[in-house]
Amino acid sequence: MPADRGQAAGRPTISEVAAEAGVGRATAARTLGGYGYVSPELRERVLAAAQKLGYRANALARSMSTGVSHTLGVILADIGNPFFAGVLRGISDTSRARGFDTIVLSTYEELDEEVAATNVLIDKRVDGVIIASAAIGRAEVAHIKAAMSRGIPIVLVDRAVAALDLDTVVIDNRDAAREAVEVLIAAGHRRIGFVWGPSAPETPTTRRGLLSEKSRNLWTDGERLRGYLDALDDARIPFDPELVMTGPKTEERATEEVGRMLALPDHVTAVFCTETDAVLGALRAVRAAGLAYPRDISLIGFDDSAWAAVMDPPLTMIEQPVHRLGAKAAEVLLDILHGNEPEHEIHTLRSRLVARSSVAPPSA
Amino acid sequence: MPADRGQAAGRPTISEVAAEAGVGRATAARTLGGYGYVSPELRERVLAAAQKLGYRANALARSMSTGVSHTLGVILADIGNPFFAGVLRGISDTSRARGFDTIVLSTYEELDEEVAATNVLIDKRVDGVIIASAAIGRAEVAHIKAAMSRGIPIVLVDRAVAALDLDTVVIDNRDAAREAVEVLIAAGHRRIGFVWGPSAPETPTTRRGLLSEKSRNLWTDGERLRGYLDALDDARIPFDPELVMTGPKTEERATEEVGRMLALPDHVTAVFCTETDAVLGALRAVRAAGLAYPRDISLIGFDDSAWAAVMDPPLTMIEQPVHRLGAKAAEVLLDILHGNEPEHEIHTLRSRLVARSSVAPPSA
DNA sequence: CTGTTAGCGCTTTCAA
DNA sequence: TTGAAAGCGCTAACAG
């Protein structure tokens, strides 16, 4: 075996430090590892030797023998999405402060990727995992259950999964959506578009169909749709399937669909958007139709952004506590790692409707 | 030593698989590790045993003996910033495709954090590091040189560091800025604001002061400032320190400063912004002054966004190939890990000025 | 082609 | 208090 296998040039080991200091391996390990008793004298010598050689502990070796890697795994839909980027920042800020680093994997809502990501994290022996899962039904959670049965602490973030008894950090999407739609209703709207709805293979036209698992809603999407329906029900406004967008969840599609809703004989006078790209699409449709908000149409959307505030007029948006969402998830996970493992619960954080100027009464 | 130290419940080792299959450790290791020769027959037995026990290789142990962790370290300013989130996505997409995962650390432009992050990555024995360094002078690169001397391959992204001979992936910030300012000049502007400039302790009023190291420009900021100056020089427009923002780089400050430039007797008729938040601040200042773009003032900014396209009027912006920046950095690093290590070079990617509607001739 | 054996660098008993 | 020695799970010589 080549002498330098596994160690590049100039990476002294604890044995070398011990030799340099003229003490035993264990003594060096104790002082450098910060555990056990060591006389001040030897301690000094070891420290000096370590300093001289530029010693840095090999975290891998340490993890091997302690079984703790001080690394957390994070599985998200898309690290390039501002929402998840914010969540990740929350996670990494708080875990870093407690001495943990993070390995992040994006799934792009692909269940296969999620499974693969889970396996990677298991293999790398992360101490715990935070995951925004795309899993919906019981049939899709096998990989998570497998990880659980291996004793890996897991906390869910952004999306709850009914089939899993796990700590979960979310906002009340249903309530947030209901509140937003209520604002629209209070302003006098009755024809309110919903963008975007489920990307079902075939367009469901009933409430049941819309909410069914087959239409493959993400949990958040389903909740937001329910909130929309709640508000309609409370105001006794009949549900009209023509006012909910279906199909691929893209900005382009949202533009088309809002365009369609705007062209209906009994057209929409307001649109509620469940995501940033949906808002963008709606905005384009409004402009393409030669209309202006909030005069001709009112708008409220999910996921506030600094840009929303500088739009003219500024947009009324739902703000999620992105950083806090991640921070809380990390806190809960770290607590579990610290041995505090009470009942698993769902931690619901508060979102906030930021009222600006994209809502007005419907034009006569 | 407790029997289960380092291994949680139900994590079979290769020895257990070997035992179950009734073969030697090495044979099991060979088939599971995918190296060496194993007869089809034994191979089958091992695979079956592994399957039955739910065996997953311990990547940590593997790394210990091979000296390869299949993990890349990434050090960025702020993972919550859309630019870096995009870069990270590029990095993680391409490294993931080649079997590498990433540990990400944010520094918030704090050199201390950058040093700490570097150490963490050294300790965790990542195979290579990609870093957007805040280091400027020779005095600030010790941590990177230390990592280099330890034999860790490093590639720089987004920011070049003159004191370091490393592969570097950037865009030509100077040229991009020059091009943008030239567009403004071509439209007839001569009083062009620059937001934001260096956050020097005291406001430098000379070109030299502005560009000096003491004013602590990030490399990108310095380059963009140079590009601005280049364009001015080419058009023989005198440089006026009053038109460059100084102080903290925040949206609020940008609002103040653009407000000030707008109120000058010989006020600005166009503003060039070097960052998204600067654009946002400028937009607020314009509105606060009761003005409208591009009629009263023209605007061009760095870092295009989907929002910029739906503004009314849409904003002319400089688009950076964020994903590509990250992807290229990862490719270069992975190539080095693969043994291809030609000369270190600076890879300059193309940015693009996306002409929309925020530039018009100055109003008479 | 297979099994034995010796590490990788660290932690942790255990006896001195 | 300190050092010797075993072990974490895997890879890789080497002998058979």
Side-chain angles (χ1 to χ4, degrees):
Chain A
M1 187 178 312
D4 69 340
R5 183 163 64 87
Q7 64 168 314
R11 295 209 193 165
T13 72
I14 217 164
S15 305
E16 300 178 45
V17 174
E20 172 76 25
V23 303
R25 229 213 257 317
T27 303
R30 273 191 284 261
T31 103
L32 264 9
Y35 56 92
Y37 300 98
V38 169
S39 68
E41 189 195 9
L42 289 193
R43 185 184 175 66
E44 265 324 302
R45 292 212 333 247
V46 172
L47 257 19
Q51 173 77 44
K52 176 177 171 192
L53 299 180
Y55 173 81
R56 301 234 97 226
N58 181 333
L60 249 35
R62 185 169 282 171
S63 299
M64 275 276 3
S65 65
T66 59
V68 177
S69 63
H70 283 276
T71 304
L72 264 27
V74 180
I75 302 178
L76 303 170
D78 176 7
I79 209 332
N81 171 322
F83 170 80
F84 288 111
V87 171
L88 177 61
R89 203 187 136 171
I91 292 173
S92 93
D93 285 351
T94 104
S95 56
R96 188 83 209 284
R98 298 235 230 150
F100 284 76
D101 304 297
T102 52
I103 293 182
V104 196
L105 270 1
S106 296
T107 65
Y108 305 110
E109 312 292 16
E110 225 57 77
L111 211 57
D112 290 353
E113 294 291 334
E114 188 174 313
V115 174
T118 307
N119 285 334
V120 166
L121 296 177
I122 291 177
D123 293 352
K124 296 221 165 161
R125 297 303 191 262
V126 296
D127 296 329
V129 175
I130 293 174
I131 166 169
S133 179
I136 303 167
R138 251 149 268 279
E140 303 180 333
V141 299
H143 59 295
I144 298 184
K145 290 209 158 157
M148 289 167 69
S149 75
R150 278 185 155 83
I152 301 176
I154 299 178
V155 357
L156 262 21
V157 71
D158 182 44
R159 284 105 92 131
V161 178
L164 258 17
D165 178 32
L166 248 21
D167 275 287
T168 303
V169 180
V170 293
I171 64 156
D172 190 334
N173 286 278
R174 182 172 186 169
D175 198 58
R178 182 202 289 121
E179 180 187 358
V181 177
E182 278 172 359
V183 165
L184 260 10
I185 293 174
H189 298 275
R190 294 183 62 83
R191 299 290 289 167
I192 304 173
F194 182 83
V195 180
W196 35 60
S199 54
E202 9 192 312
T203 309
T205 52
T206 64
R207 294 174 60 130
R208 277 185 72 89
L210 233 29
L211 291 167
S212 84
E213 204 174 279
K214 275 178 319 202
S215 59
R216 281 217 55 95
N217 278 310
L218 287 176
W219 178 79
T220 42
D221 290 338
E223 289 291 295
R224 292 171 191 182
L225 180 52
R226 283 190 177 82
Y228 166 77
L229 261 15
D230 287 345
L232 256 34
D233 290 350
D234 286 351
R236 306 197 185 296
I237 297 174
F239 161 68
D240 181 350
E242 290 225 282
L243 305 194
V244 359
M245 160 178 161
T246 53
K249 303 182 174 184
T250 62
E251 183 180 325
E252 294 66 38
R253 176 70 178 169
T255 304
E256 283 174 30
E257 283 285 83
V258 173
R260 178 181 63 71
M261 295 178 200
L262 249 15
L264 251 24
D266 193 7
H267 62 81
V268 293
T269 61
V271 174
F272 171 59
C273 302
T274 64
E275 215 146 294
T276 297
D277 287 352
V279 174
L280 264 17
L283 249 10
R284 298 193 108 108
V286 169
R287 183 155 343 144
L291 304 174
Y293 71 88
R295 196 193 59 198
D296 306 307
I297 183 156
S298 290
L299 255 24
I300 298 186
F302 249 92
D303 288 1
D304 195 28
S305 144
W307 283 98
V310 300
M311 291 288 292
D312 189 19
L315 265 18
T316 293
M317 301 283 267
I318 296 167
E319 177 192 78
Q320 293 200 62
V322 282
H323 190 276
R324 189 73 200 113
L325 233 22
K328 180 70 182 177
E331 284 168 15
V332 171
L333 182 55
L334 259 8
D335 280 353
I336 294 175
L337 294 181
H338 250 250
N340 312 342
E341 189 166 7
E343 286 308 284
H344 297 308
E345 57 179 306
I346 296 194
H347 308 265
T348 305
L349 269 34
R350 252 233 232 343
S351 65
R352 192 165 68 94
L353 183 78
V354 183
R356 284 194 278 249
S357 314
S358 58
V359 177
S363 54
Chain B
M1 188 178 313
D4 68 341
R5 181 162 67 84
Q7 64 166 315
R11 294 211 195 163
T13 72
I14 216 164
S15 304
E16 301 178 43
V17 174
E20 172 76 25
V23 303
R25 227 213 259 317
T27 303
R30 272 190 284 261
T31 104
L32 265 8
Y35 58 93
Y37 300 98
V38 170
S39 68
E41 188 194 8
L42 289 194
R43 186 186 173 66
E44 265 324 302
R45 293 214 329 250
V46 171
L47 256 19
Q51 173 78 42
K52 176 176 171 193
L53 300 181
Y55 172 80
R56 301 235 97 228
N58 182 334
L60 249 33
R62 184 169 284 170
S63 300
M64 276 275 6
S65 69
T66 58
V68 176
S69 63
H70 283 276
T71 304
L72 262 28
V74 181
I75 301 179
L76 304 169
D78 175 7
I79 207 336
N81 172 319
F83 170 80
F84 289 112
V87 171
L88 177 60
R89 201 185 138 173
I91 292 173
S92 96
D93 285 351
T94 104
S95 56
R96 188 81 209 286
R98 296 234 229 149
F100 285 75
D101 304 298
T102 52
I103 293 183
V104 197
L105 269 2
S106 296
T107 65
Y108 306 112
E109 310 292 15
E110 223 60 74
L111 210 58
D112 291 353
E113 294 291 334
E114 187 174 313
V115 174
T118 307
N119 285 334
V120 166
L121 297 176
I122 291 176
D123 293 352
K124 296 220 165 161
R125 295 303 190 264
V126 296
D127 296 330
V129 175
I130 294 175
I131 167 167
S133 179
I136 303 168
R138 250 150 269 277
E140 303 180 333
V141 300
H143 60 295
I144 299 184
K145 291 207 158 158
M148 289 167 70
S149 75
R150 279 185 154 82
I152 301 176
I154 299 178
V155 357
L156 262 20
V157 71
D158 181 44
R159 285 105 94 130
V161 179
L164 260 18
D165 178 33
L166 249 20
D167 275 290
T168 303
V169 181
V170 292
I171 64 157
D172 190 333
N173 286 278
R174 182 174 186 165
D175 197 59
R178 181 203 290 121
E179 181 187 357
V181 177
E182 279 173 357
V183 166
L184 260 9
I185 293 172
H189 297 276
R190 295 183 61 84
R191 297 291 288 167
I192 303 173
F194 181 83
V195 179
W196 37 59
S199 53
E202 4 188 318
T203 308
T205 52
T206 64
R207 294 173 61 130
R208 275 186 73 88
L210 234 31
L211 291 167
S212 84
E213 205 176 277
K214 277 179 315 197
S215 58
R216 280 218 55 95
N217 279 310
L218 287 175
W219 179 78
T220 43
D221 291 338
E223 289 291 296
R224 292 170 192 183
L225 179 53
R226 283 192 178 79
Y228 166 76
L229 261 14
D230 286 345
L232 255 34
D233 290 348
D234 286 350
R236 307 202 185 293
I237 297 174
F239 161 66
D240 180 349
E242 289 226 281
L243 305 193
V244 358
M245 161 177 160
T246 53
K249 303 182 175 184
T250 63
E251 183 181 325
E252 293 67 37
R253 177 68 180 170
T255 305
E256 285 173 29
E257 284 284 82
V258 174
R260 177 182 64 71
M261 295 177 201
L262 249 14
L264 250 26
D266 194 6
H267 62 79
V268 293
T269 61
V271 174
F272 171 59
C273 302
T274 62
E275 214 147 296
T276 297
D277 287 352
V279 175
L280 265 17
L283 248 11
R284 299 192 107 108
V286 169
R287 185 155 343 142
L291 303 175
Y293 71 88
R295 196 195 55 199
D296 306 306
I297 183 156
S298 289
L299 256 23
I300 298 186
F302 249 93
D303 287 359
D304 196 27
S305 145
W307 284 99
V310 299
M311 291 288 292
D312 188 18
L315 265 19
T316 293
M317 301 284 266
I318 295 167
E319 177 191 80
Q320 293 200 62
V322 283
H323 190 276
R324 189 73 199 112
L325 233 20
K328 181 70 182 178
E331 284 167 14
V332 172
L333 182 55
L334 260 8
D335 280 354
I336 294 175
L337 294 181
H338 251 250
N340 313 343
E341 190 166 7
E343 287 309 284
H344 297 308
E345 57 179 305
I346 296 194
H347 308 265
T348 304
L349 270 34
R350 253 233 229 345
S351 64
R352 192 166 66 96
L353 182 77
V354 184
R356 286 194 279 250
S357 315
S358 57
V359 177
S363 54

